[in-house]
């Protein structure tokens, strides 16, 4: 069951990615940025869908004690269906699966039936046409602005065409859907993504690699808001 309200669809949100935090002191890293966190972005990598291994359900369960924010779990996994229930039980509020792994309709149904908010992610080279058929069935569309697997990469601006296409579709059909961007989001690229139509901004390095992560998250929010006004 979804434990925490995600907030209204389409509202501007900052989602710090804990991938860039110090894993030796995750609880304090999460608490430190709490006031500027709308969603907490949890990057799950299985060493198969992406060439890296990161976080699993036990970490989500532990962090749940330290944050009441919406846990936005990004499953970079070849077989996410095997782990949805474990993430839900650990305290995930939303789980995002990649369209590239297939079985998309089944995964969406399974995650919804568990009470999870469901996201669908697309890699930078995956065309909009692959996710378009599912827009009415999901809660979140995640456009990767880097190839998944590692933090600290450069924003791929070409993805903004797809973001714009999705935003037009969502608005024209009045869909209850958030549009999230993930990868290389910083003070310079956040306004570009918001201009293109994104409303949820994931940022790892631009927050946790700064001396004052709370201030960095605040600055990101201000930069994103300026693009909206
Ligand atoms: C990449 C992850 C991203 C990444 C973002 O595979 O999905 O969430 O951690 O990190 P930055 O903001 O450093 O690009
Ligand atoms: Zn992510």
């Amino acid at each position: 069951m979804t434990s925490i309200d995600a907030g209204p669809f389409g509202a501007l949100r900052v989602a710090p990615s804990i991938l860039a935090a110090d894993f030796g002191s995750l609880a304090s890293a999460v608490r430190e940025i709490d006031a500027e966190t709308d969603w907490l972005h949890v990057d799950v990598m299985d060493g198969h869908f992406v060439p890296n291994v990161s976080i699993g359900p036990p970490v989500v369960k532990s962090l749940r004690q330290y944050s009441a924010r919406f846990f936005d779990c990004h499953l970079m996994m070849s077989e996410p269906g095997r782990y949805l229930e474990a993430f839900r039980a650990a305290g995930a509020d939303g789980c995002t699966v990649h369209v590239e792994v297939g079985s998309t309709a089944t995964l969406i149904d399974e995650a919804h039936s568990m009470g999870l908010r469901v996201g669908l992610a697309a890699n930078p080279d995956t065309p909009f046409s692959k996710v378009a058929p599912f827009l009415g069935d999901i809660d979140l569309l995640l456009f990767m602005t880097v190839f998944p697997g590692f933090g600290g990469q450069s924003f791929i601006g070409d993805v903004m065409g797809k973001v714009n296409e999705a935003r037009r579709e969502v608005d024209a059909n009045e869909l209850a859907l958030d549009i999230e961007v993930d990868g290389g989001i910083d003070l310079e690229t956040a306004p570009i993504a918001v201009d293109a139509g994104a409303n949820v901004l994931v940022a790892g390095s631009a927050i946790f690699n700064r001396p004052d992560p709370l201030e960095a998250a605040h600055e990101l929010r201000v930069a994103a808001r300026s693009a909206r006004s």
Side-chain angles (χ1 to χ4, degrees):
M1 203 176 309
T2 302
S3 51
I4 289 154
D5 184 13
F9 286 104
L12 192 61
R13 295 195 189 88
V14 173
S17 163
I18 58 170
L19 188 67
D22 176 357
F23 281 13
S25 47
L26 269 185
S28 52
V30 162
R31 276 185 301 197
E32 188 184 3
I33 52 150
D34 187 67
E36 292 291 344
T37 301
D38 298 306
W39 292 359
L40 195 72
H41 189 78
V42 181
D43 281 312
V44 179
M45 302 179 182
D46 67 351
H48 189 262
F49 180 69
V50 288
N52 199 2
V53 177
S54 59
I55 294 166
V59 175
V60 171
K61 188 174 179 204
S62 295
L63 285 180
R64 196 69 283 180
Q65 303 167 67
Y66 300 98
S67 172
R69 301 295 175 182
F70 183 88
F71 278 14
D72 171 37
C73 295
H74 176 195
L75 307 187
M76 288 165 273
M77 311 180 90
S78 296
E79 296 191 72
R82 292 177 61 181
Y83 302 94
L84 287 169
E85 173 53 28
F87 279 101
R88 187 212 58 81
D93 297 295
C95 281
T96 295
V97 298
H98 271 260
V99 71
E100 296 85 7
V101 303
S103 307
T104 303
T106 307
L107 288 167
I108 293 169
D109 280 354
E110 279 176 11
H112 269 152
S113 70
M114 293 174 195
L116 288 163
R117 214 164 180 268
V118 184
L120 188 60
N123 282 342
D125 58 357
T126 297
F128 179 64
S129 60
K130 295 278 183 210
V131 294
F134 304 103
L135 294 192
D137 305 322
I138 55 177
D139 306 293
L140 168 80
L141 193 51
L142 165 55
F143 288 108
M144 291 306 300
T145 39
V146 297
F147 283 89
F150 301 91
Q153 303 181 74
S154 298
F155 179 80
I156 302 172
D158 286 354
V159 175
M160 295 306 101
K162 283 192 286 185
V163 172
N164 203 255
E165 210 173 333
R167 172 53 64 199
R168 285 199 306 263
E169 192 83 11
V170 166
D171 290 352
N173 296 294
E174 297 181 358
L175 298 173
L177 188 67
D178 286 303
I179 300 179
E180 181 175 58
V181 283
D182 182 5
I185 299 297
D186 58 20
L187 293 178
E188 198 181 313
T189 58
I192 296 171
V194 171
D195 263 343
N199 68 286
V200 184
L201 302 169
V202 175
S205 311
I207 292 177
F208 289 106
N209 290 357
R210 290 266 308 271
D212 185 340
L214 182 66
E215 186 184 74
H218 177 70
E219 287 175 5
L220 200 64
R221 184 186 302 283
V222 172
R225 266 199 206 128
S226 71
R228 274 214 159 177
S229 57

